[in-house]
Amino acid sequence: MAMERTLVLIKPDAFQRSLVGEILARFERKALKIVGMKMFRMSPELAKEHYAHLVGKPFYPGLEAFMTREPILALALEGQEAVEVVRKIVGVTNARKAEAGTIRGDLSMSTGRNTIHASDSIETAQKEVPRFFGENELFGYKIVLEDYIYAEDEKE
Ligand code: IDP
Ligand code: MG
Protein backbone atom coordinates (compact mmCIF):
# COMPACT_ATOMS: atom_id res chain seq x y z
CA MET A 1 0.00 0.00 0.00
CA ALA A 2 1.34 3.42 -0.90
CA MET A 3 0.18 6.99 -1.29
CA GLU A 4 -0.09 7.56 -5.04
CA ARG A 5 -1.09 10.32 -7.44
CA THR A 6 -2.95 9.59 -10.66
CA LEU A 7 -4.13 11.61 -13.66
CA VAL A 8 -7.76 11.95 -14.75
CA LEU A 9 -8.96 13.86 -17.81
CA ILE A 10 -12.65 14.70 -18.08
CA LYS A 11 -13.28 14.64 -21.82
CA PRO A 12 -15.34 17.00 -24.05
CA ASP A 13 -18.32 14.61 -24.20
CA ALA A 14 -18.72 14.95 -20.42
CA PHE A 15 -18.81 18.75 -20.77
CA GLN A 16 -21.41 18.59 -23.57
CA ARG A 17 -23.54 16.19 -21.55
CA SER A 18 -23.24 18.18 -18.27
CA LEU A 19 -21.55 15.27 -16.49
CA VAL A 20 -18.50 17.10 -15.12
CA GLY A 21 -20.01 17.62 -11.67
CA GLU A 22 -21.36 14.05 -11.53
CA ILE A 23 -17.89 12.65 -12.33
CA LEU A 24 -16.10 14.93 -9.87
CA ALA A 25 -18.61 14.02 -7.16
CA ARG A 26 -17.84 10.32 -7.53
CA PHE A 27 -14.15 10.90 -6.82
CA GLU A 28 -14.94 13.26 -3.95
CA ARG A 29 -17.35 10.77 -2.35
CA LYS A 30 -14.69 8.06 -2.58
CA ALA A 31 -12.47 10.34 -0.46
CA LEU A 32 -9.79 10.74 -3.10
CA LYS A 33 -7.93 13.98 -2.53
CA ILE A 34 -7.93 16.55 -5.36
CA VAL A 35 -4.34 17.85 -5.53
CA GLY A 36 -4.61 19.41 -9.00
CA MET A 37 -7.47 20.66 -11.18
CA LYS A 38 -7.14 22.54 -14.46
CA MET A 39 -9.38 23.34 -17.45
CA PHE A 40 -7.56 23.77 -20.74
CA ARG A 41 -7.44 22.74 -24.39
CA MET A 42 -5.03 19.97 -25.32
CA SER A 43 -2.71 20.74 -28.21
CA PRO A 44 -2.26 18.19 -31.02
CA GLU A 45 1.39 17.81 -29.88
CA LEU A 46 0.32 16.97 -26.34
CA ALA A 47 -2.33 14.56 -27.68
CA LYS A 48 0.34 12.72 -29.70
CA GLU A 49 2.53 12.41 -26.60
CA HIS A 50 -0.34 11.38 -24.33
CA TYR A 51 -1.74 8.84 -26.81
CA ALA A 52 1.65 7.71 -28.21
CA HIS A 53 0.54 4.07 -27.83
CA LEU A 54 -2.36 4.74 -30.24
CA VAL A 55 -0.88 7.13 -32.83
CA GLY A 56 -0.71 4.38 -35.51
CA LYS A 57 -4.33 3.20 -35.06
CA PRO A 58 -7.00 3.97 -37.65
CA PHE A 59 -9.14 5.76 -35.05
CA TYR A 60 -6.28 8.02 -33.87
CA PRO A 61 -7.05 11.05 -36.11
CA GLY A 62 -10.62 11.10 -34.80
CA LEU A 63 -9.42 10.70 -31.21
CA GLU A 64 -6.96 13.59 -31.56
CA ALA A 65 -9.56 15.83 -33.24
CA PHE A 66 -12.09 15.07 -30.49
CA MET A 67 -9.68 15.62 -27.61
CA THR A 68 -8.20 18.88 -28.96
CA ARG A 69 -11.30 20.62 -30.37
CA GLU A 70 -12.84 21.58 -27.04
CA PRO A 71 -11.62 22.14 -23.47
CA ILE A 72 -11.07 19.33 -21.02
CA LEU A 73 -10.57 19.16 -17.26
CA ALA A 74 -7.42 17.59 -15.84
CA LEU A 75 -7.40 16.28 -12.27
CA ALA A 76 -4.56 14.96 -10.17
CA LEU A 77 -6.01 12.70 -7.48
CA GLU A 78 -4.16 11.37 -4.45
CA GLY A 79 -4.85 8.44 -2.15
CA GLN A 80 -3.64 5.06 -1.00
CA GLU A 81 -3.38 2.88 -4.16
CA ALA A 82 -5.09 5.72 -6.04
CA VAL A 83 -4.07 4.48 -9.51
CA GLU A 84 -5.86 1.14 -9.16
CA VAL A 85 -8.79 2.62 -7.23
CA VAL A 86 -9.44 5.26 -9.90
CA ARG A 87 -9.22 2.76 -12.79
CA LYS A 88 -11.80 0.63 -10.96
CA ILE A 89 -14.13 3.59 -10.52
CA VAL A 90 -13.69 4.53 -14.20
CA GLY A 91 -14.35 1.06 -15.71
CA VAL A 92 -13.04 -0.54 -18.92
CA THR A 93 -12.40 1.38 -22.16
CA ASN A 94 -15.51 0.19 -24.03
CA ALA A 95 -18.24 1.74 -21.90
CA ARG A 96 -20.82 -0.76 -23.17
CA LYS A 97 -18.77 -3.51 -21.49
CA ALA A 98 -17.98 -1.48 -18.36
CA GLU A 99 -19.50 -2.72 -15.09
CA ALA A 100 -22.59 -0.96 -13.80
CA GLY A 101 -21.52 1.29 -10.95
CA THR A 102 -18.43 2.54 -12.79
CA ILE A 103 -18.33 5.99 -14.41
CA ARG A 104 -18.15 4.57 -17.94
CA GLY A 105 -20.61 1.78 -17.13
CA ASP A 106 -23.18 4.21 -15.80
CA LEU A 107 -22.68 7.25 -18.02
CA SER A 108 -21.56 6.21 -21.51
CA MET A 109 -22.50 3.91 -24.41
CA SER A 110 -19.22 4.28 -26.31
CA THR A 111 -15.47 3.60 -26.61
CA GLY A 112 -14.61 6.85 -28.41
CA ARG A 113 -16.91 8.95 -26.22
CA ASN A 114 -16.27 7.33 -22.85
CA THR A 115 -16.24 10.58 -20.80
CA ILE A 116 -12.91 10.16 -19.00
CA HIS A 117 -9.26 9.17 -19.04
CA ALA A 118 -7.39 7.66 -16.09
CA SER A 119 -3.75 6.55 -15.79
CA ASP A 120 -3.51 2.79 -16.30
CA SER A 121 -0.53 1.95 -14.04
CA ILE A 122 1.74 3.51 -11.42
CA GLU A 123 4.47 3.98 -14.05
CA THR A 124 2.02 5.69 -16.43
CA ALA A 125 0.67 7.91 -13.65
CA GLN A 126 4.20 9.02 -12.74
CA LYS A 127 4.62 10.25 -16.33
CA GLU A 128 1.09 11.58 -16.84
CA VAL A 129 0.72 13.77 -13.74
CA PRO A 130 3.80 15.90 -14.62
CA ARG A 131 2.76 15.86 -18.30
CA PHE A 132 -0.32 17.90 -17.40
CA PHE A 133 0.64 19.68 -14.16
CA GLY A 134 3.60 21.86 -13.28
CA GLU A 135 4.99 21.66 -9.73
CA ASN A 136 3.23 24.93 -8.83
CA GLU A 137 -0.13 23.52 -10.04
CA LEU A 138 -0.06 20.62 -7.56
CA PHE A 139 -1.12 21.26 -3.98
CA GLY A 140 -0.09 19.33 -0.86
CA TYR A 141 -2.59 20.34 1.80
CA LYS A 142 -4.00 18.56 4.83
CA ILE A 143 -7.44 16.99 4.89
CA VAL A 144 -8.67 17.64 8.43
CA LEU A 145 -10.89 14.52 8.37
CA GLU A 146 -7.94 12.29 7.45
CA ASP A 147 -8.37 10.20 10.61
CA TYR A 148 -11.84 9.29 9.35
CA ILE A 149 -10.65 8.40 5.84
CA TYR A 150 -7.70 6.15 6.73
CA ALA A 151 -6.92 4.11 9.85
CA GLU A 152 -3.54 4.62 11.57
CA ASP A 153 -1.93 1.66 9.75
CA GLU A 154 -3.11 2.92 6.34
CA LYS A 155 -1.63 6.37 6.45
CA GLU A 156 1.85 5.61 5.05
P1 IDP B 1 -8.21 3.77 -21.67
O1 IDP B 1 -8.74 5.16 -21.87
O2 IDP B 1 -9.23 2.87 -21.06
O3 IDP B 1 -6.89 3.73 -20.92
P2 IDP B 1 -6.69 3.29 -24.14
O4 IDP B 1 -6.52 1.97 -24.81
O5 IDP B 1 -5.51 3.90 -23.46
O6 IDP B 1 -7.94 3.14 -23.13
O7 IDP B 1 -7.26 4.30 -25.23
C1 IDP B 1 -7.30 5.67 -24.98
C2 IDP B 1 -8.61 6.23 -25.52
O8 IDP B 1 -8.63 6.05 -26.94
C3 IDP B 1 -9.86 5.51 -25.02
O9 IDP B 1 -10.32 5.99 -23.79
C4 IDP B 1 -10.83 5.76 -26.13
O10 IDP B 1 -11.46 7.03 -25.99
C5 IDP B 1 -9.95 5.77 -27.37
N1 IDP B 1 -9.98 4.45 -28.01
C6 IDP B 1 -9.30 3.33 -27.61
N2 IDP B 1 -9.57 2.28 -28.42
C7 IDP B 1 -10.44 2.76 -29.35
C8 IDP B 1 -11.09 2.15 -30.48
O11 IDP B 1 -10.94 0.97 -30.77
N3 IDP B 1 -11.93 2.96 -31.19
C9 IDP B 1 -12.13 4.27 -30.90
N4 IDP B 1 -11.52 4.88 -29.85
C10 IDP B 1 -10.70 4.14 -29.09
MG1 MG C 1 -5.05 4.42 -21.50
Side-chain angles (χ1 to χ4, degrees):
M1 189 175 50
M3 204 46 95
E4 295 166 4
R5 286 181 172 183
T6 190
L7 178 84
V8 162
L9 301 176
I10 301 184
K11 298 181 178 181
D13 50 325
F15 278 80
Q16 291 290 335
R17 297 178 53 217
S18 304
L19 292 173
V20 175
E22 160 82 32
I23 291 170
L24 267 177
R26 288 175 179 227
F27 294 124
E28 279 197 303
R29 288 204 302 260
K30 183 66 173 172
L32 286 152
K33 181 173 169 182
I34 301 169
V35 296
M37 176 147 62
K38 181 164 72 167
M39 184 171 170
F40 68 106
R41 242 178 83 187
M42 211 194 278
S43 67
E45 295 69 37
L46 187 58
K48 284 184 186 74
E49 184 187 333
H50 184 63
Y51 288 124
H53 59 301
L54 301 174
V55 166
K57 304 273 187 194
F59 61 83
Y60 180 77
L63 174 63
E64 181 183 301
F66 177 66
M67 289 298 290
T68 60
R69 194 163 53 211
E70 291 169 21
I72 61 173
L73 185 73
L75 302 173
L77 299 175
E78 187 180 275
Q80 292 290 355
E81 298 175 291
V83 176
E84 187 186 342
V85 167
V86 168
R87 280 295 283 201
K88 249 183 203 150
I89 291 173
V90 165
V92 298
T93 311
N94 178 348
R96 292 187 300 280
K97 309 275 185 231
E99 293 285 337
T102 64
I103 289 170
R104 287 168 170 169
D106 287 352
L107 304 179
S108 166
M109 283 291 286
S110 167
T111 298
R113 303 287 184 265
N114 58 10
T115 73
I116 187 165
H117 164 86
S119 305
D120 64 10
S121 68
I122 293 172
E123 296 67 39
T124 308
Q126 285 168 349
K127 288 185 201 137
E128 289 186 342
V129 172
R131 179 176 297 150
F132 288 89
F133 289 96
E135 265 308 315
N136 63 345
E137 295 175 315
L138 292 167
F139 297 87
Y141 59 96
K142 188 171 168 52
I143 297 282
V144 294
L145 293 177
E146 193 185 39
D147 287 353
Y148 300 90
I149 295 170
Y150 296 112
E152 286 308 320
D153 63 340
E154 292 171 318
K155 283 185 186 168
E156 217 29 85

PDB file of all heavy atoms in Angstrom, residues 132-150:
ATOM      1  N   PHE A 132       0.795  16.942 -17.395  1.00  0.00           N
ATOM      2  CA  PHE A 132      -0.322  17.898 -17.403  1.00  0.00           C
ATOM      3  C   PHE A 132      -0.246  18.958 -16.305  1.00  0.00           C
ATOM      4  O   PHE A 132      -0.944  19.961 -16.390  1.00  0.00           O
ATOM      5  CB  PHE A 132      -1.657  17.146 -17.318  1.00  0.00           C
ATOM      6  CG  PHE A 132      -1.993  16.413 -18.595  1.00  0.00           C
ATOM      7  CD1 PHE A 132      -1.572  15.115 -18.799  1.00  0.00           C
ATOM      8  CD2 PHE A 132      -2.672  17.068 -19.615  1.00  0.00           C
ATOM      9  CE1 PHE A 132      -1.852  14.454 -19.996  1.00  0.00           C
ATOM     10  CE2 PHE A 132      -2.956  16.419 -20.805  1.00  0.00           C
ATOM     11  CZ  PHE A 132      -2.541  15.102 -21.004  1.00  0.00           C
ATOM     12  N   PHE A 133       0.583  18.728 -15.272  1.00  0.00           N
ATOM     13  CA  PHE A 133       0.643  19.679 -14.158  1.00  0.00           C
ATOM     14  C   PHE A 133       2.077  20.066 -13.851  1.00  0.00           C
ATOM     15  O   PHE A 133       2.922  19.189 -13.644  1.00  0.00           O
ATOM     16  CB  PHE A 133       0.030  19.063 -12.889  1.00  0.00           C
ATOM     17  CG  PHE A 133      -1.461  18.912 -12.945  1.00  0.00           C
ATOM     18  CD1 PHE A 133      -2.037  17.708 -13.316  1.00  0.00           C
ATOM     19  CD2 PHE A 133      -2.299  19.983 -12.628  1.00  0.00           C
ATOM     20  CE1 PHE A 133      -3.415  17.571 -13.384  1.00  0.00           C
ATOM     21  CE2 PHE A 133      -3.678  19.849 -12.688  1.00  0.00           C
ATOM     22  CZ  PHE A 133      -4.243  18.639 -13.061  1.00  0.00           C
ATOM     23  N   GLY A 134       2.321  21.376 -13.785  1.00  0.00           N
ATOM     24  CA  GLY A 134       3.599  21.859 -13.285  1.00  0.00           C
ATOM     25  C   GLY A 134       3.636  21.714 -11.770  1.00  0.00           C
ATOM     26  O   GLY A 134       2.584  21.570 -11.138  1.00  0.00           O
ATOM     27  N   GLU A 135       4.826  21.784 -11.189  1.00  0.00           N
ATOM     28  CA  GLU A 135       4.986  21.656  -9.729  1.00  0.00           C
ATOM     29  C   GLU A 135       4.092  22.660  -8.979  1.00  0.00           C
ATOM     30  O   GLU A 135       3.500  22.330  -7.956  1.00  0.00           O
ATOM     31  CB  GLU A 135       6.446  21.866  -9.332  1.00  0.00           C
ATOM     32  CG  GLU A 135       7.250  20.584  -9.207  1.00  0.00           C
ATOM     33  CD  GLU A 135       6.597  19.541  -8.295  1.00  0.00           C
ATOM     34  OE1 GLU A 135       6.132  19.935  -7.200  1.00  0.00           O
ATOM     35  OE2 GLU A 135       6.542  18.363  -8.679  1.00  0.00           O
ATOM     36  N   ASN A 136       4.002  23.883  -9.511  1.00  0.00           N
ATOM     37  CA  ASN A 136       3.226  24.933  -8.832  1.00  0.00           C
ATOM     38  C   ASN A 136       1.718  24.801  -9.061  1.00  0.00           C
ATOM     39  O   ASN A 136       0.944  25.604  -8.560  1.00  0.00           O
ATOM     40  CB  ASN A 136       3.710  26.326  -9.255  1.00  0.00           C
ATOM     41  CG  ASN A 136       3.502  26.554 -10.745  1.00  0.00           C
ATOM     42  OD1 ASN A 136       3.269  25.607 -11.504  1.00  0.00           O
ATOM     43  ND2 ASN A 136       3.567  27.799 -11.174  1.00  0.00           N
ATOM     44  N   GLU A 137       1.308  23.777  -9.817  1.00  0.00           N
ATOM     45  CA  GLU A 137      -0.126  23.522 -10.040  1.00  0.00           C
ATOM     46  C   GLU A 137      -0.609  22.330  -9.216  1.00  0.00           C
ATOM     47  O   GLU A 137      -1.768  21.928  -9.312  1.00  0.00           O
ATOM     48  CB  GLU A 137      -0.391  23.254 -11.520  1.00  0.00           C
ATOM     49  CG  GLU A 137      -0.102  24.467 -12.401  1.00  0.00           C
ATOM     50  CD  GLU A 137      -0.247  24.157 -13.879  1.00  0.00           C
ATOM     51  OE1 GLU A 137       0.260  23.094 -14.327  1.00  0.00           O
ATOM     52  OE2 GLU A 137      -0.843  24.974 -14.587  1.00  0.00           O
ATOM     53  N   LEU A 138       0.294  21.750  -8.428  1.00  0.00           N
ATOM     54  CA  LEU A 138      -0.064  20.616  -7.559  1.00  0.00           C
ATOM     55  C   LEU A 138       0.015  21.087  -6.109  1.00  0.00           C
ATOM     56  O   LEU A 138       0.957  21.786  -5.729  1.00  0.00           O
ATOM     57  CB  LEU A 138       0.892  19.447  -7.802  1.00  0.00           C
ATOM     58  CG  LEU A 138       0.755  18.803  -9.181  1.00  0.00           C
ATOM     59  CD1 LEU A 138       1.935  17.887  -9.468  1.00  0.00           C
ATOM     60  CD2 LEU A 138      -0.554  18.021  -9.296  1.00  0.00           C
ATOM     61  N   PHE A 139      -0.977  20.698  -5.314  1.00  0.00           N
ATOM     62  CA  PHE A 139      -1.122  21.257  -3.976  1.00  0.00           C
ATOM     63  C   PHE A 139      -1.100  20.153  -2.919  1.00  0.00           C
ATOM     64  O   PHE A 139      -1.914  19.233  -2.945  1.00  0.00           O
ATOM     65  CB  PHE A 139      -2.430  22.048  -3.888  1.00  0.00           C
ATOM     66  CG  PHE A 139      -2.434  23.220  -4.832  1.00  0.00           C
ATOM     67  CD1 PHE A 139      -2.857  23.067  -6.149  1.00  0.00           C
ATOM     68  CD2 PHE A 139      -1.955  24.452  -4.429  1.00  0.00           C
ATOM     69  CE1 PHE A 139      -2.825  24.142  -7.035  1.00  0.00           C
ATOM     70  CE2 PHE A 139      -1.926  25.531  -5.301  1.00  0.00           C
ATOM     71  CZ  PHE A 139      -2.356  25.370  -6.598  1.00  0.00           C
ATOM     72  N   GLY A 140      -0.148  20.262  -1.994  1.00  0.00           N
ATOM     73  CA  GLY A 140      -0.093  19.335  -0.860  1.00  0.00           C
ATOM     74  C   GLY A 140      -0.708  20.022   0.345  1.00  0.00           C
ATOM     75  O   GLY A 140      -0.072  20.864   0.959  1.00  0.00           O
ATOM     76  N   TYR A 141      -1.923  19.724   0.642  1.00  0.00           N
ATOM     77  CA  TYR A 141      -2.595  20.336   1.798  1.00  0.00           C
ATOM     78  C   TYR A 141      -3.175  19.225   2.665  1.00  0.00           C
ATOM     79  O   TYR A 141      -3.273  18.074   2.235  1.00  0.00           O
ATOM     80  CB  TYR A 141      -3.693  21.305   1.328  1.00  0.00           C
ATOM     81  CG  TYR A 141      -4.767  20.655   0.479  1.00  0.00           C
ATOM     82  CD1 TYR A 141      -5.970  20.226   1.041  1.00  0.00           C
ATOM     83  CD2 TYR A 141      -4.573  20.429  -0.892  1.00  0.00           C
ATOM     84  CE1 TYR A 141      -6.944  19.604   0.265  1.00  0.00           C
ATOM     85  CE2 TYR A 141      -5.542  19.815  -1.662  1.00  0.00           C
ATOM     86  CZ  TYR A 141      -6.721  19.403  -1.077  1.00  0.00           C
ATOM     87  OH  TYR A 141      -7.664  18.786  -1.838  1.00  0.00           O
ATOM     88  N   LYS A 142      -3.541  19.578   3.888  1.00  0.00           N
ATOM     89  CA  LYS A 142      -3.999  18.557   4.834  1.00  0.00           C
ATOM     90  C   LYS A 142      -5.519  18.455   4.792  1.00  0.00           C
ATOM     91  O   LYS A 142      -6.216  19.462   4.806  1.00  0.00           O
ATOM     92  CB  LYS A 142      -3.547  18.947   6.244  1.00  0.00           C
ATOM     93  CG  LYS A 142      -3.812  17.869   7.265  1.00  0.00           C
ATOM     94  CD  LYS A 142      -3.169  18.186   8.600  1.00  0.00           C
ATOM     95  CE  LYS A 142      -3.678  17.274   9.698  1.00  0.00           C
ATOM     96  NZ  LYS A 142      -3.586  15.842   9.384  1.00  0.00           N
ATOM     97  N   ILE A 143      -6.001  17.232   4.743  1.00  0.00           N
ATOM     98  CA  ILE A 143      -7.443  16.985   4.889  1.00  0.00           C
ATOM     99  C   ILE A 143      -7.703  16.820   6.392  1.00  0.00           C
ATOM    100  O   ILE A 143      -7.160  15.903   7.013  1.00  0.00           O
ATOM    101  CB  ILE A 143      -7.855  15.707   4.117  1.00  0.00           C
ATOM    102  CG1 ILE A 143      -7.618  15.864   2.607  1.00  0.00           C
ATOM    103  CG2 ILE A 143      -9.296  15.322   4.414  1.00  0.00           C
ATOM    104  CD1 ILE A 143      -8.643  16.678   1.852  1.00  0.00           C
ATOM    105  N   VAL A 144      -8.514  17.680   6.963  1.00  0.00           N
ATOM    106  CA  VAL A 144      -8.674  17.644   8.430  1.00  0.00           C
ATOM    107  C   VAL A 144      -9.405  16.382   8.887  1.00  0.00           C
ATOM    108  O   VAL A 144      -9.264  15.970  10.035  1.00  0.00           O
ATOM    109  CB  VAL A 144      -9.386  18.905   8.970  1.00  0.00           C
ATOM    110  CG1 VAL A 144      -8.524  20.137   8.766  1.00  0.00           C
ATOM    111  CG2 VAL A 144     -10.751  19.098   8.355  1.00  0.00           C
ATOM    112  N   LEU A 145     -10.167  15.751   8.006  1.00  0.00           N
ATOM    113  CA  LEU A 145     -10.892  14.516   8.366  1.00  0.00           C
ATOM    114  C   LEU A 145     -10.067  13.259   8.090  1.00  0.00           C
ATOM    115  O   LEU A 145     -10.609  12.162   8.099  1.00  0.00           O
ATOM    116  CB  LEU A 145     -12.208  14.428   7.585  1.00  0.00           C
ATOM    117  CG  LEU A 145     -13.269  15.466   7.937  1.00  0.00           C
ATOM    118  CD1 LEU A 145     -14.482  15.295   7.022  1.00  0.00           C
ATOM    119  CD2 LEU A 145     -13.692  15.343   9.386  1.00  0.00           C
ATOM    120  N   GLU A 146      -8.777  13.425   7.865  1.00  0.00           N
ATOM    121  CA  GLU A 146      -7.941  12.294   7.445  1.00  0.00           C
ATOM    122  C   GLU A 146      -8.095  11.070   8.360  1.00  0.00           C
ATOM    123  O   GLU A 146      -8.125   9.931   7.884  1.00  0.00           O
ATOM    124  CB  GLU A 146      -6.472  12.728   7.407  1.00  0.00           C
ATOM    125  CG  GLU A 146      -5.594  11.730   6.698  1.00  0.00           C
ATOM    126  CD  GLU A 146      -4.122  12.107   6.764  1.00  0.00           C
ATOM    127  OE1 GLU A 146      -3.666  12.589   7.825  1.00  0.00           O
ATOM    128  OE2 GLU A 146      -3.451  11.939   5.751  1.00  0.00           O
ATOM    129  N   ASP A 147      -8.236  11.316   9.664  1.00  0.00           N
ATOM    130  CA  ASP A 147      -8.374  10.202  10.614  1.00  0.00           C
ATOM    131  C   ASP A 147      -9.639   9.387  10.357  1.00  0.00           C
ATOM    132  O   ASP A 147      -9.772   8.262  10.850  1.00  0.00           O
ATOM    133  CB  ASP A 147      -8.440  10.728  12.055  1.00  0.00           C
ATOM    134  CG  ASP A 147      -7.089  11.218  12.530  1.00  0.00           C
ATOM    135  OD1 ASP A 147      -6.099  11.031  11.791  1.00  0.00           O
ATOM    136  OD2 ASP A 147      -7.028  11.798  13.625  1.00  0.00           O
ATOM    137  N   TYR A 148     -10.580   9.978   9.626  1.00  0.00           N
ATOM    138  CA  TYR A 148     -11.837   9.288   9.346  1.00  0.00           C
ATOM    139  C   TYR A 148     -11.856   8.703   7.936  1.00  0.00           C
ATOM    140  O   TYR A 148     -12.815   8.054   7.535  1.00  0.00           O
ATOM    141  CB  TYR A 148     -13.019  10.255   9.547  1.00  0.00           C
ATOM    142  CG  TYR A 148     -13.044  10.766  10.965  1.00  0.00           C
ATOM    143  CD1 TYR A 148     -12.366  11.917  11.318  1.00  0.00           C
ATOM    144  CD2 TYR A 148     -13.696  10.033  11.957  1.00  0.00           C
ATOM    145  CE1 TYR A 148     -12.339  12.364  12.616  1.00  0.00           C
ATOM    146  CE2 TYR A 148     -13.688  10.475  13.265  1.00  0.00           C
ATOM    147  CZ  TYR A 148     -12.996  11.644  13.595  1.00  0.00           C
ATOM    148  OH  TYR A 148     -12.980  12.065  14.894  1.00  0.00           O
ATOM    149  N   ILE A 149     -10.772   8.930   7.196  1.00  0.00           N
ATOM    150  CA  ILE A 149     -10.651   8.396   5.837  1.00  0.00           C
ATOM    151  C   ILE A 149      -9.732   7.177   5.835  1.00  0.00           C
ATOM    152  O   ILE A 149     -10.009   6.179   5.175  1.00  0.00           O
ATOM    153  CB  ILE A 149     -10.142   9.491   4.870  1.00  0.00           C
ATOM    154  CG1 ILE A 149     -11.201  10.609   4.769  1.00  0.00           C
ATOM    155  CG2 ILE A 149      -9.837   8.914   3.496  1.00  0.00           C
ATOM    156  CD1 ILE A 149     -10.722  11.844   4.045  1.00  0.00           C
ATOM    157  N   TYR A 150      -8.646   7.259   6.601  1.00  0.00           N
ATOM    158  CA  TYR A 150      -7.701   6.150   6.733  1.00  0.00           C
ATOM    159  C   TYR A 150      -7.474   5.826   8.204  1.00  0.00           C
ATOM    160  O   TYR A 150      -7.401   6.747   9.035  1.00  0.00           O
ATOM    161  CB  TYR A 150      -6.348   6.508   6.105  1.00  0.00           C
ATOM    162  CG  TYR A 150      -6.415   6.730   4.611  1.00  0.00           C
ATOM    163  CD1 TYR A 150      -6.220   8.001   4.071  1.00  0.00           C
ATOM    164  CD2 TYR A 150      -6.665   5.673   3.736  1.00  0.00           C
ATOM    165  CE1 TYR A 150      -6.287   8.217   2.700  1.00  0.00           C
ATOM    166  CE2 TYR A 150      -6.734   5.877   2.368  1.00  0.00           C
ATOM    167  CZ  TYR A 150      -6.540   7.152   1.857  1.00  0.00           C
ATOM    168  OH  TYR A 150      -6.606   7.351   0.504  1.00  0.00           O
TER     169      TYR A 150
END
